[in-house]
Amino acid sequence: MSINLKPYQEKAVDKLVEAAIKLLDFDGPGEVCVFQAPTGSGKTVMTAKFIEGLIKKLPNEDLCFVWMSIGKGDLHVQSKNALEKIFAGFPRVSLIEDEFSGGRERIVQNEVVVANWEKLRTKDRESGEWKNLVMKDGEKLNFRDVLEKTREQRKIILIVDESHTNASTERAIELKQLISADIILEMSATPRLMPTASDLVEMKAGFVKVNPKDVIEEGMIKKELIINEDIEKIAASEDDSQSAVLEAAYRKRLELKKAFEKEGSNINPLVLIQIPTAEAGEVKIEAIKKFLGDKNITEKNGKLAIWLAEQKSEAIDWISEPNNEIEFLIFKQAIDTGWDCPRAHILIKFRESHNIVFEIQTVGRILRMPEQRHYDNEILNRGYIYTNIQSISVKKEEYNPNIIKHLKATRVKRYKPIKIESYYKSRADYGDVTSSFTHVFEKVANEHFGLAKDGAVKENTKAVEAKRVDLNIKKYQQELIADTSLDVKDFDSLQGKVDADAMAKLTVAADELAVFFDQVIKNNLGSFKNVKRSVPAVRSAIYQWFNKYLGSHEWSDPSLLCQKIFLHDNNRGIFEHILADAVSQYMIVKEKEVRKRIEESEQLYTFEIPIEMFYNEHADEIAKAKNYSHEPSYLNVDRSNPEREFEAFLNSNASKIDWWWKNGENKQDYFGVKYEYQNGIYTFYPDYLVKLSDGRIGIFEIKDSVDRDGKTYTKAKAEALCKYIANQKNKKLFGGIVIQRNHGWLINDSENYNWDKCEQDDWTDWIPLIF
């Protein structure tokens, strides 16, 4: 299957495959490769792609895989479901309890068998006999026999999911001895057992690590977690503090919902409310329900759900849907293990009688980004925790299932090669500042302050202060726990008590400060009009300079303190002057960069509709399409009304059509035509390709009859398409701009596209589209 892996994921998969191949060549069973990847990075997806990659690299090697979960819960079932979705049929995925209860002798080649070791290993305390049916001795083969017979024919690779759980205990050792695998892949955010340096050198072990910074930069997880934002004081009274926490979370959820809507996203942010496990929890539930009921949030109207060990709302089965109506979820501990809901954005945790330690498993539930990307509005890139606990402790996370949802479609067998020429040019310029700005800003800033060495913090600080820049960071801080942020980069290794006295609270709210900071950047972008893409690059350049030359990585909250220093009344004019000068100098660098990109990006190639295509279940839908090029016929949910009407027209002419295909854009998987507009060269992606029964191939771009771009972009595209068709050797090509008018469909294939005539109700250049 083709999944759009992030760069760090691709790199990790390649390293895992490389390590496994070397370990398989080593003489002796049980070589270990440790795979360390942070919470939310997509360990399940990367490991699945590792399996696919290893099978592809070693087609003649007889392999099978045992995917084992250690710990309580049903994580193995979620892993099995996730793997099936990723693999889409190959390799085969099986649950031990479903497949190995006496009916099979061995694991077949390339098969992935998934199980929960806790459920397999249970034994009778007195007799020592296995309790689980698949492990018991009897007339039929048990799973221990299956493993023995499998080892006679093929190598076994054992994958231990969340291997840090009881990694050195008797049961973990027992598991490894029972499987007796040729390679053991231990995957965890916080591995307990690390390979020795000598084993790595001698290739007796492997180690692959994903950097948390890469995961954050790719938008997979939130940038930081904010504790008690907007709560200046936790009341001494339990009731008062409880109401304050609930009210703050309620208001924050409304703010997030509005922010998602402004981003054009339908995400409905979810608030998780963790209550005490003691008897006091029952009283707490009633108090919470009363508070929310006054806000018209109830179980009856579907906005509130409850998940306890003894109670689980049926609606929870759909709670992970991005626009699910549930706004608040009350839970105890049941949610901690093996549960994933990317739209969970806020966590409320109430004080317990005997335990005030934050369960990092629960905090991890609000760590993921709902759409695997960061947003322009920074408040959406943070997770929020509200609690009436005065001081906070953090416990390591145990489980982190990462389920990547996908939909696969395969090209129909009746498809015959069309061999048409396609043009592709990746976009060379977005009108933005890119990462190459970092070097320019560094050069200009260093020249202004007279800096020569990075890392020489003391000398550089004196030089900067000599230019009347105030670097006294202590006055930018206050010693209050409110607005404390946890650094996500250290999320998985954070252990122990967070000292409230050491926490910093900025005098201006963090999000407000970030807005001011970004606005200063926007004001100094000059001719770079793409603000959304430019601001992050400039922001990063400034942060990197502070880190490299002033040692900001040693500060309590580097990014926010950089903002404070930059915006300080004594400093702002100096830094704005440096920024404006750097942007001006960068224009020359960017021009050279764009010219090089254009030269490298143009491609002409023979195009065929892809054999396989993959879709997102939230972005695409199964359409009622006759003779579509792929099965199932997935089409984008955001198709325009004219496009949907045209598809209905195609369905009505199904007897004259072999197949039709909805084109995409900005990828070489899609069909493109070169066109020029305002001295620029671009790729035009016509909406549809239609193969008719008489052998002709239609290329159609669908427009509304009140096309606002008729005199500009549409004209350039129409004339380029006409020229393309005329120059092709395949004389069965035809096409043009297609518009629905008076319940019929018209096509314009003129060399000179004249929209002025259409605006004057002159449609003489258009002819009926008839198949």
Side-chain angles (χ1 to χ4, degrees):
M1 172 186 175
S2 176
I3 280 183
N4 294 324
L5 294 178
K6 304 289 186 180
Y8 75 82
Q9 293 175 325
E10 291 179 342
K11 185 178 180 180
V13 169
D14 291 341
K15 286 185 176 181
L16 286 170
V17 171
E18 179 182 357
I21 291 173
K22 291 180 179 178
L23 293 176
L24 282 169
D25 288 337
F26 190 81
D27 185 20
E31 280 71 49
V32 175
C33 180
V34 175
F35 178 33
Q36 183 175 7
T39 298
S41 61
K43 288 190 291 292
T44 300
V45 176
M46 288 184 279
T47 306
K49 301 308 290 183
F50 151 72
I51 292 172
E52 287 184 341
L54 192 62
I55 292 172
K56 185 177 180 180
K57 281 281 188 179
L58 302 176
N60 299 320
E61 192 79 60
D62 200 343
L63 304 171
C64 67
F65 304 84
V66 177
W67 184 297
M68 197 71 70
S69 297
I70 299 180
K72 299 178 181 179
D74 292 322
L75 176 61
H76 69 299
V77 177
Q78 285 199 332
S79 296
K80 188 254 187 182
N81 294 337
L83 290 170
E84 284 185 323
K85 291 178 180 179
I86 296 167
F87 293 147
F90 181 83
R92 175 181 180 178
V93 185
S94 307
L95 278 180
I96 285 182
E97 55 261 42
D98 293 344
E99 298 280 344
F100 297 93
S101 297
R104 291 180 55 183
E105 289 190 348
R106 57 180 56 85
I107 304 170
V108 300
Q109 184 176 10
N110 298 328
E111 184 178 10
V112 181
V113 177
V114 183
N116 182 298
W117 180 238
E118 298 299 320
K119 296 183 178 181
L120 288 184
R121 70 177 295 276
T122 54
K123 293 182 179 180
D124 185 274
R125 290 185 177 181
E126 296 183 4
S127 66
E129 294 180 355
W130 299 92
K131 286 187 176 182
N132 194 301
L133 180 63
V134 299
M135 302 294 284
K136 277 186 176 182
D137 291 317
E139 296 181 2
K140 297 182 179 180
L141 290 175
N142 58 45
F143 188 64
R144 291 176 290 127
D145 297 325
V146 169
L147 289 170
E148 185 176 347
K149 287 183 173 292
T150 299
R151 284 192 293 269
E152 295 172 358
Q153 290 193 1
R154 58 189 51 94
K155 295 180 178 179
I156 299 175
I157 295 178
L158 171 62
I159 299 169
V160 185
D161 193 4
E162 304 296 349
S163 63
H164 62 275
T165 307
N166 303 303
S168 58
T169 60
E170 179 182 349
R171 55 182 165 183
I173 296 171
E174 183 181 25
L175 163 65
K176 295 173 183 178
Q177 291 176 343
L178 176 68
I179 305 296
S180 188
D182 295 84
I183 295 178
I184 301 173
L185 177 64
E186 298 194 358
M187 50 189 284
S188 172
T190 54
R192 299 278 181 87
L193 303 176
M194 300 293 287
T196 65
S198 59
D199 283 347
L200 290 173
V201 171
E202 297 174 15
M203 285 311 302
K204 295 180 181 179
F207 179 59
V208 177
K209 182 179 180 180
V210 173
N211 192 323
K213 181 181 177 182
D214 295 333
V215 183
I216 296 170
E217 290 179 347
E218 288 295 335
M220 295 289 284
I221 60 179
K222 294 182 176 70
K223 295 181 179 180
E224 59 182 0
L225 304 175
I226 307 297
I227 302 171
N228 286 341
E229 185 182 61
D230 299 327
I231 293 183
E232 299 298 326
K233 183 179 180 181
I234 297 297
S237 165
E238 179 78 5
D239 291 339
D240 290 346
S241 65
Q242 176 176 296
S243 298
V245 164
L246 287 168
E247 183 67 31
Y250 171 78
R251 293 180 182 180
K252 176 57 66 176
R253 202 203 76 82
L254 294 178
E255 182 185 2
L256 292 172
K257 185 71 171 72
K258 291 180 180 179
F260 275 121
E261 290 171 354
K262 287 184 178 179
E263 290 278 350
S265 175
N266 68 342
I267 299 298
N268 187 28
L270 176 68
V271 180
L272 306 179
I273 305 178
Q274 183 176 4
I275 60 173
T277 55
E279 292 182 1
E282 302 303 321
V283 177
K284 191 76 66 179
I285 290 176
E286 293 306 315
I288 295 169
K289 290 171 69 173
K290 182 180 185 305
F291 176 91
L292 295 177
D294 292 338
K295 307 284 188 182
N296 194 33
I297 299 169
T298 66
E299 289 182 276
K300 187 174 182 180
N301 64 20
K303 294 181 179 181
L304 172 65
I306 298 177
W307 187 356
L308 308 176
E310 67 279 2
Q311 178 183 357
K312 180 180 178 182
S313 304
E314 292 184 5
I316 289 175
D317 292 337
W318 308 103
I319 198 170
S320 293
E321 296 296 319
N323 59 347
N324 184 272
E325 63 183 355
I326 298 174
E327 298 174 357
F328 287 77
L329 173 65
I330 300 174
F331 71 99
K332 286 185 180 178
Q333 298 297 331
I335 197 174
D336 293 353
T337 300
W339 186 78
D340 189 34
C341 183
R343 72 182 183 93
H345 219 118
I346 301 170
L347 170 68
I348 297 174
K349 182 175 173 66
F350 288 112
R351 184 185 306 141
E352 299 200 27
S353 301
H354 306 291
N355 185 3
I356 60 170
V357 177
F358 260 103
E359 297 289 339
I360 212 76
Q361 306 100 302
T362 306
V363 177
R365 302 285 75 82
I366 64 168
L367 188 61
R368 294 164 182 79
M369 293 300 295
E371 296 177 292
Q372 295 189 353
R373 67 182 179 93
H374 288 148
Y375 301 91
D376 293 332
N377 191 337
E378 285 294 334
I379 72 166
L380 298 177
N381 300 328
R382 303 177 184 127
Y384 300 90
I385 303 168
Y386 292 96
T387 178
N388 58 358
I389 298 172
Q390 296 291 341
S391 189
I392 299 166
S393 293
V394 178
K395 184 179 178 180
K396 286 182 180 288
E397 185 176 18
E398 293 181 3
Y399 292 106
N400 181 24
N402 293 277
I403 301 174
I404 303 298
K405 298 180 179 180
H406 72 280
L407 299 168
K408 175 184 175 182
T410 305
R411 195 175 66 192
V412 294
K413 293 182 179 180
R414 63 180 178 276
Y415 177 90
K416 304 297 181 184
I418 56 177
K419 297 180 181 178
I420 61 176
E421 183 180 271
S422 182
Y423 173 82
Y424 175 79
K425 181 183 75 68
S426 58
R427 188 171 178 178
D429 184 20
Y430 291 86
D432 62 335
V433 176
T434 66
S435 59
S436 57
F437 176 73
T438 298
H439 299 294
V440 177
F441 182 85
E442 180 180 317
K443 172 178 173 291
V444 173
N446 287 352
E447 287 176 352
H448 180 89
F449 293 115
L451 307 185
K453 296 181 180 179
D454 57 37
V457 176
K458 289 184 179 180
E459 293 85 346
N460 292 338
T461 299
K462 289 181 181 179
V464 172
E465 288 180 333
K467 294 287 186 177
R468 298 183 179 180
V469 172
D470 187 351
L471 292 178
N472 183 10
I473 64 172
K474 288 186 179 180
K475 71 179 184 181
Y476 301 137
Q477 299 171 295
Q478 296 180 17
E479 295 178 351
L480 291 173
I481 192 171
D483 288 342
T484 297
S485 63
L486 298 180
D487 190 343
V488 178
K489 294 188 290 297
D490 298 323
F491 187 78
D492 290 301
S493 61
L494 195 58
Q495 179 79 29
K497 188 176 181 181
V498 179
D499 185 357
D501 292 335
M503 293 299 182
K505 178 189 175 184
L506 296 174
T507 55
V508 179
D511 54 340
E512 185 179 354
L513 189 71
V515 170
F516 290 158
F517 185 62
D518 285 356
Q519 188 59 51
V520 171
I521 294 175
K522 294 174 185 178
N523 295 343
N524 289 278
L525 287 177
S527 61
F528 294 99
K529 303 301 182 184
N530 194 324
V531 173
K532 290 183 179 180
R533 294 175 66 98
S534 297
V535 169
V538 175
R539 188 193 305 131
S540 176
I542 295 171
Y543 291 163
Q544 289 186 51
W545 181 81
F546 271 90
N547 179 51
K548 189 173 181 180
Y549 292 93
L550 299 180
S552 63
H553 59 281
E554 298 291 339
W555 301 347
S556 61
D557 202 329
S559 60
L560 293 178
L561 288 171
C562 287
Q563 294 172 16
K564 283 289 290 182
I565 293 170
F566 194 102
L567 296 173
H568 190 272
D569 290 342
N570 292 343
N571 307 336
R572 179 171 170 177
I574 297 171
F575 283 115
E576 281 203 79
H577 173 76
I578 293 171
L579 178 57
D581 191 10
V583 170
S584 178
Q585 292 189 31
Y586 178 68
M587 292 177 64
I588 300 174
V589 175
K590 184 61 187 290
E591 287 176 2
K592 294 179 180 178
E593 187 176 283
V594 171
R595 283 198 297 269
K596 184 178 180 181
R597 285 182 185 174
I598 291 175
E599 292 172 359
E600 295 175 348
S601 65
E602 286 191 308
Q603 296 181 47
L604 281 174
Y605 59 98
T606 301
F607 176 80
E608 298 291 343
I609 291 177
I611 297 173
E612 293 180 336
M613 299 193 72
F614 302 91
Y615 302 88
N616 182 285
E617 70 178 56
H618 303 304
D620 305 288
E621 62 185 1
I622 294 181
K624 295 179 180 179
K626 298 178 182 178
N627 296 342
Y628 193 64
S629 59
H630 290 73
E631 294 178 352
S633 53
Y634 291 111
L635 295 174
N636 192 277
V637 297
D638 292 330
R639 304 188 313 286
S640 67
N641 287 331
E643 288 174 339
R644 292 176 182 270
E645 291 293 331
F646 184 71
E647 290 163 8
F649 170 71
L650 295 176
N651 286 339
S652 68
N653 284 274
S655 62
K656 303 174 184 178
I657 295 173
D658 284 348
W659 53 259
W660 62 272
W661 182 60
K662 180 71 172 72
N663 196 22
E665 60 183 23
N666 298 329
K667 288 184 179 180
Q668 287 181 278
D669 290 338
Y670 300 122
F671 169 69
V673 175
K674 180 178 180 179
Y675 82 102
E676 298 182 26
Y677 179 71
Q678 292 184 347
N679 299 320
I681 298 174
Y682 306 93
T683 306
F684 160 42
Y685 297 92
D687 291 323
Y688 296 89
L689 296 184
V690 180
K691 173 66 166 55
L692 300 178
S693 301
D694 61 11
R696 291 182 297 157
I697 299 175
I699 306 172
F700 306 120
E701 172 73 1
I702 312 305
K703 291 296 179 183
D704 193 279
S705 59
V706 290
D707 183 17
R708 295 179 180 179
D709 297 323
K711 298 179 182 179
T712 54
Y713 292 106
T714 303
K715 175 178 173 63
K717 292 176 180 179
E719 293 174 357
L721 179 57
C722 179
K723 182 179 179 181
Y724 165 85
I725 292 173
N727 291 336
Q728 296 303 302
K729 295 179 180 179
N730 187 343
K731 300 306 176 184
K732 292 188 176 182
L733 293 179
F734 75 107
I737 307 299
V738 175
I739 285 177
Q740 187 180 34
R741 180 172 167 78
N742 297 328
H743 305 291
W745 289 91
L746 304 177
I747 182 171
N748 187 318
D749 58 2
S750 304
E751 293 182 5
N752 297 307
Y753 187 83
N754 190 339
W755 188 250
D756 287 328
K757 294 172 66 175
C758 299
E759 290 183 332
Q760 298 171 13
D761 205 27
D762 181 351
W763 297 84
T764 55
D765 292 339
W766 300 70
I767 60 175
L769 178 61
I770 301 174
F771 295 151

